[in-house]
Amino acid sequence: MTHEEKRAWIIGILAVGTYAAYLAVVLGRAAGTPVADVAYASPLLWAVGVSIGASIVLSIVVSIGAPKGARTRDQRDREIHRFGEYIGQSFVVIGGVAALVLALAEAHPFWIANVIYAGFTLSAILGCAAKIAAYRWGFQPW
C-alpha cells in the first residue's frame, strides 16, 4: 500500500468517524427540543479540529514508520490524487450552493452550517473513496 493510499484511508475514516460523533452529540442534545435550537457550534468546531489534528498526527506516524523513499510520489500518484480531488470537490460545490439557497431562504443558521459541514465531509469521503478505488482496482486517466 502506497503512502498516498494510507493517507486516503486515514482521512476517509476520520471524516466518517468525526461526523458520526458530531451527529451523536447534536442529536443527543436534541432530546425533546427542536434540533435547530441545539447548541451545535462547539461540537462542530471540535469535530473539524479533531479531524484535522488527528489526520496530521496519523499521517506523521505513518510517515515515520515508512521505509526510506516510500513517500515519493510518481506520476500515477499525482494523477490519482487529482482524480480524487476533482470528484470530491463536487460536494464542496453542492454544499456551497445548498447553503446559499438556504441563506437566501433565510433558513436558521443551524441548517446552513450543517449543510456546509456535510458538504465538506462528503467531499472528503467521496474523494478518498475514489482514490482508494483507483489504487485498488486500477486507474485509467482520460
Side-chain angles (χ1 to χ4, degrees):
M1 184 181 306
T2 67
H3 179 71
E4 293 298 317
E5 184 181 356
K6 289 176 187 175
R7 287 190 65 231
W9 277 104
I10 289 168
I11 293 169
I13 290 169
L14 284 171
V16 170
T18 55
Y19 192 74
Y22 167 74
L23 286 178
V25 169
V26 169
L27 294 176
R29 290 180 178 182
T33 63
V35 71
D37 294 337
V38 172
Y40 67 93
S42 178
L44 192 145
L45 292 173
W46 273 102
V48 170
V50 166
S51 183
I52 292 170
S55 68
I56 291 169
V57 169
L58 289 173
S59 292
I60 290 170
V61 168
V62 167
S63 294
I64 290 171
K68 188 173 184 176
R71 288 181 291 166
T72 57
R73 295 173 62 181
D74 60 8
Q75 182 65 27
R76 181 174 180 258
D77 289 325
R78 286 188 288 276
E79 288 179 11
I80 288 174
H81 177 74
R82 187 178 318 116
F83 170 71
E85 291 301 309
Y86 284 158
I87 289 176
Q89 291 302 317
S90 63
F91 276 96
V92 171
V93 172
I94 291 168
V97 170
L100 178 63
V101 169
L102 287 172
L104 292 173
E106 298 180 3
H108 194 281
F110 172 85
W111 298 113
I112 297 169
N114 278 282
V115 162
I116 293 170
Y117 183 37
F120 281 128
T121 301
L122 289 173
S123 171
I125 294 168
L126 185 61
C128 290
K131 291 174 189 178
I132 291 167
Y135 277 112
R136 293 292 169 149
W137 297 296
F139 173 70
Q140 177 62 44
W142 302 101

